[in-house]
Amino acid sequence: MDAFQEWNPNNILDAISHVRFLTLIAHGFYHWMGKFTRTGEPVDDLTGFEIYNRYKGTWHWWDYLTRKSYPMQGLGHLRVVLLLGCKTGGDKHPYERDRDKKEKTMIAEPQPGTIAEAFWSLCAKVVIFSTTDAWSPIVKEFVRLFYEYAQTKTIVEAAQAARNEVIRKAKGMGDFRYVETAYNILMAIKSDAKSLRLAP
């Protein structure tokens, strides 16, 4: 799969089992990510339910193209998943009322029923998500910085450095929406993933 592709939920579902890190940038709303029609209806959505059902447990699924049966798998092979769309991890920051802690705290678990929680419950090592409306300029800058920093840092260090940088830039722009987007980029980390890097 190419680094950048047109949004296609079927391709994404298939690719999840073949990659170590995954970045999805699209419209989001709690349990799904996808596109909107001109009238505001969701289309081509990918849901947490689909991901969970496709990758849970140890039963087999039939691939009609190859005409073979394949075992299902969890997502423990995913080193990092970036789900950057509106409210992909819910709508509550753990320190919503404390501005100082909100700025400094990036570690949180996604809320139940969200698309981020589907990846988290299937054992992806690090899941990065949003708990507010995700404005595109901030999200794209975060992704760019994350992958730049991840060349020399651990995944956790790269995510924290990228978030700190986008918070600084968002404050300089003076747009409250951008600052809130930056504050609400959060990360769930499995206990064995604190020193994990993109490459083994």
Side-chain angles (χ1 to χ4, degrees):
M1 186 170 188
D2 294 336
F4 298 97
Q5 286 199 350
E6 180 64 26
W7 184 267
N8 182 318
N10 294 322
N11 288 350
I12 294 167
L13 271 174
D14 289 340
I16 287 170
S17 64
H18 303 289
V19 296
R20 288 199 178 131
F21 42 95
L22 176 71
T23 301
L24 300 179
I25 301 174
H27 293 291
F29 193 73
Y30 299 100
H31 68 283
W32 67 269
M33 291 182 79
K35 300 189 294 188
F36 282 120
T37 63
R38 291 183 184 187
T39 59
E41 298 295 317
V43 64
D44 289 338
D45 57 328
L46 175 67
T47 68
F49 181 75
E50 290 171 310
I51 293 162
Y52 187 79
N53 282 337
R54 175 77 174 261
Y55 290 102
K56 71 176 182 179
T58 56
W59 55 281
H60 289 68
W61 64 278
W62 181 258
D63 187 329
Y64 291 96
L65 294 176
T66 62
R67 306 199 49 78
K68 291 182 181 176
S69 178
Y70 293 95
M72 299 288 280
Q73 61 178 10
L75 297 177
H77 66 283
L78 285 172
R79 292 172 176 267
V80 63
V81 179
L82 288 83
L83 301 169
L84 296 169
C86 298
K87 301 177 182 175
T88 54
D91 60 2
K92 291 181 177 59
H93 190 289
Y95 296 106
E96 192 61 44
R97 300 200 191 288
D98 187 330
R99 197 101 176 131
D100 189 48
K101 281 187 179 177
K102 186 174 182 179
E103 180 176 345
K104 292 177 181 166
T105 302
M106 187 178 187
I107 309 301
E109 287 191 19
Q111 292 174 330
T114 61
I115 192 167
E117 195 257 346
F119 281 97
W120 180 243
S121 66
L122 289 167
C123 298
K125 302 294 186 192
V126 177
V127 180
I128 297 172
F129 54 91
S130 174
T131 55
T132 191
D133 296 335
W135 291 92
S136 182
I138 296 299
V139 164
K140 288 179 179 176
E141 181 65 3
F142 173 82
V143 171
R144 185 189 72 75
L145 289 168
F146 170 76
Y147 282 108
E148 180 183 314
Y149 294 146
Q151 300 304 310
T152 56
K153 298 176 183 289
T154 67
I155 291 170
V156 172
E157 291 167 345
Q160 290 173 328
R163 182 176 181 264
N164 291 342
E165 184 66 14
V166 294
I167 286 173
R168 188 187 64 73
K169 288 182 178 181
K171 286 179 173 178
M173 293 176 193
D175 189 326
F176 177 75
R177 299 169 306 168
Y178 289 179
V179 174
E180 280 303 299
T181 295
Y183 279 174
N184 285 280
I185 296 173
L186 301 177
M187 170 174 55
I189 310 164
K190 294 292 185 198
S191 60
D192 61 344
K194 292 188 170 120
S195 60
L196 201 62
R197 294 181 177 270
L198 285 184

